[in-house]
Amino acid sequence: MKIRKAVFPVAGLGTRFLPATKAIPKEMLPVVDKPLIQYTVEEALAAGIEEIIFVTSRGKTPMEDHFDRAPELEEMLRCRGQIDLLGQIEALVAESWSVFSVRQNDPLGLGHAVWCARDLVGNQPFAVMLPDDLIQPSTLDGQPVSPVMKQMVEQFQQVQSPLMAVMEIPADQTNRYGIIDPSGPQTETGLIPVKGLVEKPKPANAPSRMAIIGRYILTPDIFGLLGDQRAGAGGEIQLTDAMAGLLKKHALYGYRFQGIRYDCGTKAGYQMGNLALALEMPELRRHLLPFMQERLNHWARMTPTLAGKSP
């Protein structure tokens, strides 16, 4: 079955980025010249997804407006002859895809956010995409690799079973992620069969170092499990716990994707993503590289001084 719909859980308040996110959604923070949310939406569209479903909360309308028409702005750009910019703005609203939204009235966790989209998803497999995880496609043998969700859609067409993006993390970070318990080795295509999942285990209790990253393809029977589910880790309804329940009905796979992931839910990861994508642009790279070298030299000179001071 074709994956036509993608759910974007974007109801969070973005408290890690206060005060910047006091009046604007975290998903609208810019990464170079586009808001964070746009990168993930573009990834979904590149995978052939036709319906974008935002699970929102109060104060998220700027994000919805971003993917709507802006007649006054479009007319101004047209009159000024700024055709390239006009094309970029018009491309945010296309006839081939649609944007829908539903409210998550209570912040009860990722699993609850996905459950809120059940009526819009209906009885078909669907994607879940977390914009905090900005994933830059990598290259293989000098050739560009498809965006991650497109890779996952292709894998789903082969196995017709739920799957989630995974990556290997340091052992001391397992308590930050959902961790898979593999039932066998990774296949040549990057699939890892899964026999269990654990949400944020302590390093000593983690069944592996393969962490779940914010890309999923799920089947609609997940909604029944989410609706019956009690709160798990952190007092929230966890998507990982419901996916473990799917193992009674389906094979379940982790997919070790090809790409570079930046955790834009943290300040450091957000800055890394900004810098990495800026360096991909020649007009920015020629300014940034000398600046970065000067700053590195500065901190190298400062390091002996700083090392002698108390934190």
Side-chain angles (χ1 to χ4, degrees):
M1 296 182 65
K2 184 178 179 180
I3 306 300
R4 297 178 54 250
K5 302 184 179 186
V7 174
F8 287 67
V10 290
L13 297 177
T15 53
R16 290 180 180 177
F17 287 84
L18 286 172
T21 51
K22 179 179 181 290
I24 62 171
K26 174 185 63 177
E27 296 81 11
M28 290 300 294
L29 293 176
V31 177
V32 190
D33 56 357
K34 294 188 291 189
L36 178 60
I37 185 68
Q38 186 173 333
Y39 289 93
T40 316
V41 168
E42 289 175 349
E43 180 186 331
L45 299 178
I49 286 168
E50 301 167 3
E51 295 185 20
I52 304 299
I53 302 170
F54 292 139
V55 181
T56 70
S57 60
R58 182 179 177 277
K60 297 289 185 172
T61 51
M63 183 179 56
E64 298 168 4
D65 292 343
H66 183 69
F67 295 99
D68 198 357
R69 288 289 181 204
E72 297 86 355
L73 175 61
E74 293 171 18
E75 182 60 25
M76 183 194 72
L77 294 173
R78 189 176 292 109
C79 291
R80 292 181 177 180
Q82 295 177 292
I83 304 305
D84 289 343
L85 282 176
L86 176 62
Q88 293 178 44
I89 296 300
E90 290 180 332
L92 295 171
V93 184
E95 296 180 358
S96 60
W97 57 284
S98 304
V99 175
F100 302 89
S101 66
V102 61
R103 285 287 182 100
Q104 182 186 19
N105 295 318
D106 296 311
L108 300 180
L110 176 58
H112 180 258
V114 173
W115 181 79
C116 288
R118 64 198 182 282
D119 292 334
L120 290 173
V121 170
N123 190 32
Q124 58 184 289
F126 64 102
V128 175
M129 305 180 71
L130 308 187
D132 278 1
D133 285 319
L134 174 60
I135 306 180
Q136 185 182 24
S138 58
T139 57
L140 184 64
D141 297 329
Q143 299 299 316
V145 173
S146 299
V148 171
M149 184 48 64
K150 185 174 183 180
Q151 297 175 38
M152 294 180 67
V153 166
E154 292 169 353
Q155 294 296 325
F156 179 81
Q157 298 299 337
Q158 298 300 315
V159 298
Q160 293 293 303
S161 292
L163 62 150
M164 68 217 84
V166 297
M167 62 180 287
E168 189 171 7
I169 61 168
D172 62 357
Q173 295 182 13
T174 59
N175 60 351
R176 305 180 191 176
Y177 298 88
I179 303 294
I180 66 169
D181 186 1
S183 63
Q186 177 179 315
T187 68
E188 291 183 0
T189 59
L191 291 174
I192 303 172
V194 173
K195 64 180 179 182
L197 306 98
V198 184
E199 182 65 25
K200 299 180 180 177
K202 295 180 180 178
N205 301 325
S208 75
R209 292 168 52 195
M210 300 306 297
I212 303 169
I213 304 305
R215 302 290 186 274
Y216 308 79
I217 295 180
L218 302 173
T219 47
D221 46 354
I222 192 79
F223 293 122
L225 294 169
L226 289 170
D228 295 337
Q229 193 178 325
R230 296 179 180 178
E236 298 182 337
I237 296 176
Q238 298 291 346
L239 182 60
T240 303
D241 294 339
M243 292 181 68
L246 287 178
L247 284 166
K248 299 176 181 178
K249 302 180 180 181
H250 304 276
L252 194 63
Y253 295 93
Y255 174 63
R256 196 163 186 177
F257 60 90
Q258 297 182 43
I260 304 170
R261 175 249 188 177
Y262 301 98
D263 182 2
C264 290
T266 67
K267 291 180 182 179
Y270 172 72
Q271 298 299 338
M272 291 176 190
N274 255 292
L275 183 57
L277 269 65
L279 289 172
E280 294 290 323
M281 301 179 177
E283 68 277 16
L284 296 181
R285 185 167 60 242
R286 67 187 182 91
H287 295 289
L288 287 173
L289 287 177
F291 170 77
M292 291 167 60
Q293 187 61 59
E294 188 277 328
R295 288 287 84 194
L296 288 171
N297 292 340
H298 168 78
W299 286 109
R301 293 191 300 269
M302 291 289 291
T303 298
T305 303
L306 294 175
K309 295 182 178 181
S310 300

